[in-house]
């Protein structure tokens, strides 16, 4: 019997990309073959994100499209998986638009849910787990260049930041067996991958215990870095309250641990940080930045910033702008506050900043960050970087693009090398987003 074709659309963060690879592996064991062509698909899944309302609205639009498509192809199965599935549950199967709903901890049950569709009723499993890490699943890599692989090291989150829906959609924090992580990293390296990114909602709180053996995140970084000096190691995401001297010192010790830390600040105001339940102060955050820069002056720091959180004053906003200048971020992900149902903020704080003020503040943050990013890139003029080639430049087939250790995108003329090669380049020009280079 010919294998059935499985098509998955992935929305949101790197964690969802990693989860999609796990789903392909689980269903692949039961005869479902991956396709990138929706018209070939016997099963269509959307792996969803709930972190902002516009992310969910995009998925609702796709659900409507799938529903129309299903009318023309009634044999096709449509499913919603991931955080939106967890958050909305039964609401998604109303109107007969969706056949299957599965939360982030229910992917192993997908084969059973598909089988039980024969009963003629939609199937749902959004039960969260205290143990599931998918450690024994070997993901089916979906990246096209075979250069960089995501490896999930933990699941869930215990932080309960007041604006964030993640603890409610991904459950409590669970750390994965470090030896399984190292095995997976070894496997992808032997298959030709040159870089791994260790993923977790808060990697700095990674802690695995088994008898007398305890492995924290710094220990895990060391274990993965020592697989081979040719294997680059990245990670995401750090939490400012938990990033330790030990982690920073371990990074400084190993050249193949990339010189880039994503350190979400969210706000530069202590009043906002307290209301957000971030559990650090502006002063603590700046101390962590100083520690990073003292041991790794070449380490790039990127961040997340929320504009217009509940009760944010003009002074709170100015505190954020001032902190951005003090840190000198190399890049930032910047958003207006989006109230998420069920969160502490939605239950206790009115969303009282007008859309016009949110937009104005966000635009000021974006304008400042564009300036800071350009200044950061201008400081790299004349420097030489070792770039891991990702593939051809989007604008010119005679150019290659890739990232330096500091995560900056470099573009340079080259028709000799290919994805996965290391190339030394010199920065000769720049924009706020890209380093324009020449081969050395």
């Amino acid at each position: 019997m010919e294998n059935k074709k499985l098509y998955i659309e992935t929305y949101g963060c790197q964690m969802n990309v990693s989860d999609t690879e796990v789903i392909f592996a689980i269903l692949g064991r039961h005869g479902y073959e991956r396709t990138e062509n929706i018209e070939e698909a016997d099963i269509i899944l959307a792996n969803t994100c709930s972190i902002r309302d516009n992310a969910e609205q995009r998925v609702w639009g796709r659900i409507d499209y799938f529903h129309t498509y299903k009318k023309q192809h009634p044999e096709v199965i449509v499913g919603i998986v991931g955080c939106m599935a967890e958050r909305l549950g039964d609401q998604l199967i109303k109107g007969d638009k969706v056949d299957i709903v599965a939360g982030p901890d229910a992917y192993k049950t997908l084969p059973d849910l598909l089988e039980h569709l024969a009963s003629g009723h939609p199937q749902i499993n959004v039960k969260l787990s205290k143990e599931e890490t998918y450690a024994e699943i070997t993901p089916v890599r979906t990246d096209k260049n075979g250069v960089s692989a995501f490896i999930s090291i933990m699941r869930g989150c215990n932080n309960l930041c007041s604006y964030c829906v993640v603890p409610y959609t991904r459950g409590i924090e669970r750390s994965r067996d470090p030896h399984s992580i190292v095995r997976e990293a070894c496997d992808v390296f032997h298959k030709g991958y040159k870089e791994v990114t260790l993923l977790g909602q808060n990697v700095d709180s990674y802690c695995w215990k088994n008898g007398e053996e305890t492995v924290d995140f710094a220990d895990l970084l060391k274990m993965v870095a020592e697989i081979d000096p040719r294997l680059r190691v990245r990670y995401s995401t750090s939490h400012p309250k938990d990033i330790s001297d030990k982690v920073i010192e371990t990074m400084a010790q190993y050249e193949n641990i990339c010189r880039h830390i994503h350190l979400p600040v969210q706000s530069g105001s202590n009043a906002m940080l307290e209301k957000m339940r971030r559990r650090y102060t502006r002063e603590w955050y700046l101390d962590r930045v100083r520690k990073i820069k003292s041991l790794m002056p070449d380490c790039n720091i990127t961040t997340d910033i929320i504009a217009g959180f509940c009760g944010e004053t003009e002074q709170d906003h100015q505190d954020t702008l001032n902190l951005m200048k003090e840190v000198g971020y190399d890049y930032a992900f910047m958003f207006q506050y989006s109230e998420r149902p069920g969160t502490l903020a939605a239950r206790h704080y009115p969303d009282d900043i007008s859309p016009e003020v949110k937009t104005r503040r966000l635009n000021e943050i974006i304008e400042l960050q564009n300036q800071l990013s350009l200044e950061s890139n201008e400081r790299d003029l004349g420097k030489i970087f070792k770039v891991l080639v990702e593939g051809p430049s989007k604008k010119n087939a005679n150019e290659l693009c890739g990232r330096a250790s500091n995560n900056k995108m470099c573009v340079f003329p080259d028709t000799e090398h290919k994805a996965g090669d290391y190339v030394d380049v010199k920065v000769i020009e720049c924009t706020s987003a890209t380093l324009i280079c020449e081969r050395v």
Side-chain angles (χ1 to χ4, degrees), residues 224-237:
V224 177
E226 289 182 348
I227 290 171
D228 193 289
R230 295 169 296 174
L231 178 66
R232 276 188 174 179
V233 183
R234 299 188 184 276
Y235 64 86
S236 182
T237 296

Side-chain angles (χ1 to χ4, degrees), residues 235-263:
Y235 64 86
S236 182
T237 296
S238 280
H239 196 297
K241 74 179 177 65
D242 293 318
I243 187 167
S244 66
D245 287 357
K246 185 179 176 183
V247 166
I248 299 167
E249 290 161 2
T250 301
M251 288 185 66
Q253 183 182 351
Y254 290 89
E255 186 177 345
N256 61 325
I257 300 179
C258 290
R259 297 301 192 256
H260 168 235
I261 297 176
H262 189 64
L263 200 64

Side-chain angles (χ1 to χ4, degrees), residues 379-435:
R379 288 193 292 271
D380 287 335
L381 291 172
K383 291 183 180 179
I384 295 175
F385 293 117
K386 184 180 290 295
V387 170
L388 178 57
V389 177
E390 296 181 2
S393 164
K394 292 181 180 179
K395 295 183 179 179
N396 189 336
N398 294 319
E399 292 181 338
L400 295 176
C401 65
R403 295 187 185 275
S405 173
N406 61 15
N407 205 43
K408 289 189 179 182
M409 178 57 73
C410 301
V411 176
F412 53 96
D414 192 329
T415 57
E416 299 175 20
H417 291 90
K418 62 185 185 304
D421 289 343
Y422 285 108
V423 180
D424 289 330
V425 300
K426 181 178 180 179
V427 183
I428 56 173
E429 296 180 56
C430 70
T431 67
S432 61
T434 307
L435 299 180

Side-chain angles (χ1 to χ4, degrees), residues 68-303:
T68 301
Y69 184 83
K70 190 173 172 64
K71 287 180 180 178
Q72 300 167 355
H73 305 85
E75 74 284 356
V76 173
I77 295 168
V78 173
I80 303 298
V81 301
C83 292
M84 189 171 166
E86 187 68 41
R87 193 181 81 76
L88 296 176
D90 289 332
Q91 297 179 45
L92 289 167
I93 58 178
K94 293 178 180 177
D96 296 324
K97 292 184 178 182
V98 173
D99 301 302
I100 287 177
V101 175
D105 291 343
Y107 299 147
K108 287 180 184 175
T109 70
L110 280 169
D112 290 335
L113 296 178
L114 288 164
E115 185 177 337
H116 292 153
L117 279 176
S119 67
H121 301 289
Q123 299 295 306
I124 182 170
N125 185 352
V126 291
K127 185 177 180 180
L128 289 172
S129 169
K130 295 181 180 179
E131 293 85 27
E132 183 61 76
T133 64
Y134 300 108
E136 77 283 11
I137 304 295
T138 301
V140 173
R141 304 296 169 185
T142 59
D143 66 297
K144 289 182 169 58
N145 58 21
V147 172
S148 185
F150 295 132
I151 299 180
S152 177
I153 67 169
M154 60 199 301
R155 300 186 72 82
C157 184
N158 290 346
N159 287 316
L160 291 172
C161 298
S162 63
Y163 55 84
C164 186
V165 74
V166 168
Y168 308 99
T169 60
R170 286 191 170 265
I172 64 171
E173 192 174 272
R174 293 144 278 159
S175 295
R176 177 180 164 188
D177 182 334
H179 305 291
S180 73
I181 296 168
V182 172
R183 283 195 299 271
E184 185 174 338
C186 287
D187 177 65
V188 297
F189 179 66
H190 292 315
K191 288 178 178 175
Y193 286 81
K194 300 295 180 65
E195 179 179 276
V196 295
T197 301
L198 308 180
L199 297 178
Q201 299 296 336
N202 176 12
V203 292
D204 297 300
S205 63
Y206 174 92
C207 186
W208 183 83
K209 296 181 180 181
N210 184 26
E212 296 184 357
E213 183 182 13
T214 299
V215 177
D216 63 17
F217 183 57
D219 298 327
L220 179 65
L221 272 178
K222 180 179 178 180
M223 292 166 68
V224 177
E226 289 182 348
I227 290 171
D228 193 289
R230 295 169 296 174
L231 178 66
R232 276 188 174 179
V233 183
R234 299 188 184 276
Y235 64 86
S236 182
T237 296
S238 280
H239 196 297
K241 74 179 177 65
D242 293 318
I243 187 167
S244 66
D245 287 357
K246 185 179 176 183
V247 166
I248 299 167
E249 290 161 2
T250 301
M251 288 185 66
Q253 183 182 351
Y254 290 89
E255 186 177 345
N256 61 325
I257 300 179
C258 290
R259 297 301 192 256
H260 168 235
I261 297 176
H262 189 64
L263 200 64
V265 69
Q266 308 301 359
S267 173
S269 159
N270 280 338
M272 289 297 98
L273 291 174
E274 183 176 2
K275 186 176 279 191
M276 291 175 173
R277 287 177 54 92
R278 292 293 285 170
R279 300 192 179 118
Y280 56 83
T281 63
R282 173 193 182 97
E283 291 73 24
W284 169 266
Y285 186 94
L286 291 172
D287 175 75
R288 294 292 79 197
V289 171
R290 283 190 290 270
K291 179 67 176 181
I292 293 165
K293 292 294 186 181
S294 69
L295 292 184
M296 296 179 290
D298 59 340
C299 185
N300 277 15
I301 299 176
T302 57
T303 199

Side-chain angles (χ1 to χ4, degrees), residues 316-339:
D316 294 326
H317 172 58
Q318 290 301 318
D319 287 346
T320 296
L321 297 175
N322 291 334
L323 182 136
M324 291 172 66
K325 295 174 186 176
E326 189 165 349
V327 175
Y329 291 113
D330 300 283
Y331 184 79
F333 295 95
M334 301 156 283
F335 311 98
Q336 293 185 28
Y337 171 61
S338 172
E339 184 178 87

